[in-house]
Amino acid sequence: MAHEIGPLLKELREAEELTQARLYQNVLSRRQAIRLEAGETDIKAEHLLTVLDRLDMALPEFRYRLQKRQPQVAPPTPQTAMLDTVAAKLNTWLDADMTPGEVRAMENFALGRPFFTVNQIKTLMTIAARLPWDAYDRLTKKLAAQLADMADMPGVQRLRYTLYFNKTMFSPVGRLAGYRVAAGPAGSGTGQ
């Protein structure tokens, strides 16, 4: 298992569209990074923690992914930075609306990736309520399937309950029952 750490780090790095130089800066030399990702060498624990922090991934999630190792190379997408940008905007301004371009970028990002980190899932769950219903429905189905695959990982069960609760609240049936969705423009499928 020790020599699987590097190849998994490579998959995660590529999914986040990071270069080796940026991910391993002040941690490993270029040669060490190449050898690590090829599975030829190992990485010190303190260096691994630094790298995981840069990938925005907790150690338990990395350990889980390592144990359940399946090839999961995500195609590079230019929208990965958009997730953080939109999340920051919505967290700063609770009544902010996403622009049509941001909605499209979020849909492309969320529906075009084969997997997400737990932190990305949490962020997407926050943003999802601002998407049009059809995109929200497709995204929550995708997130539900991914969370079901990770059901034995600590903390994931709570996320699954939150996702199902939110979907009930944000559904058209939930709206008819009198529930209100987070702020969104009238007629966008996210408000009223």
Side-chain angles (χ1 to χ4, degrees), residues 117-180:
T117 67
V118 170
N119 286 335
Q120 288 171 334
I121 290 172
K122 289 176 184 177
T123 302
L124 285 168
M125 286 172 59
T126 302
I127 292 172
R130 308 282 181 94
L131 294 174
W133 172 253
D134 60 327
Y136 175 81
D137 187 47
R138 289 191 315 268
L139 174 58
T140 55
K141 286 177 182 173
K142 183 174 183 174
L143 295 178
Q146 190 168 88
L147 289 171
D149 288 342
M150 302 184 325
D152 55 337
M153 184 177 151
V156 166
Q157 194 64 30
R158 179 178 215 134
L159 278 176
R160 291 178 74 193
Y161 290 139
T162 302
L163 182 68
Y164 291 124
F165 176 78
N166 288 349
K167 184 148 187 185
T168 300
M169 296 290 287
F170 299 151
S171 73
V173 174
R175 290 184 202 154
L176 291 174
Y179 299 120
R180 292 186 58 84

Side-chain angles (χ1 to χ4, degrees), residues 77-97:
T77 61
Q79 291 86 11
T80 53
M82 181 64 79
L83 178 65
D84 293 331
T85 303
V86 171
K89 173 184 170 181
L90 297 178
N91 286 334
T92 302
W93 301 98
L94 297 178
D95 62 345
D97 295 325

Side-chain angles (χ1 to χ4, degrees), residues 1-148:
M1 182 183 290
H3 293 292
E4 293 177 21
I5 290 173
L8 178 56
L9 287 173
K10 180 180 181 180
E11 287 178 18
L12 296 170
R13 176 183 62 77
E14 289 175 346
E16 293 302 320
E17 299 179 356
L18 293 171
T19 63
Q20 282 184 337
R22 185 167 176 200
L23 181 61
Y24 302 115
Q25 181 179 7
N26 299 326
V27 176
L28 299 175
S29 69
R30 183 170 187 264
R31 179 165 170 71
Q32 289 171 322
I34 291 169
R35 293 186 66 213
L36 171 68
E37 290 188 352
E40 297 172 9
T41 62
D42 291 326
I43 185 171
K44 292 181 181 179
E46 66 263 19
H47 293 159
L48 177 61
L49 294 174
T50 301
V51 169
L52 290 178
D53 188 46
R54 291 176 184 173
L55 289 169
D56 190 28
M57 183 176 286
L59 183 59
E61 180 182 356
F62 183 77
R63 186 177 327 152
Y64 174 84
R65 288 185 182 277
L66 193 59
Q67 290 170 348
K68 298 286 184 175
R69 184 111 163 88
Q70 297 174 1
Q72 299 176 336
V73 177
T77 61
Q79 291 86 11
T80 53
M82 181 64 79
L83 178 65
D84 293 331
T85 303
V86 171
K89 173 184 170 181
L90 297 178
N91 286 334
T92 302
W93 301 98
L94 297 178
D95 62 345
D97 295 325
M98 288 193 293
T99 66
E102 289 171 335
V103 169
R104 280 191 304 279
M106 285 298 91
E107 288 179 22
N108 291 338
F109 171 79
L111 300 173
R113 287 179 63 104
F115 73 94
F116 305 104
T117 67
V118 170
N119 286 335
Q120 288 171 334
I121 290 172
K122 289 176 184 177
T123 302
L124 285 168
M125 286 172 59
T126 302
I127 292 172
R130 308 282 181 94
L131 294 174
W133 172 253
D134 60 327
Y136 175 81
D137 187 47
R138 289 191 315 268
L139 174 58
T140 55
K141 286 177 182 173
K142 183 174 183 174
L143 295 178
Q146 190 168 88
L147 289 171

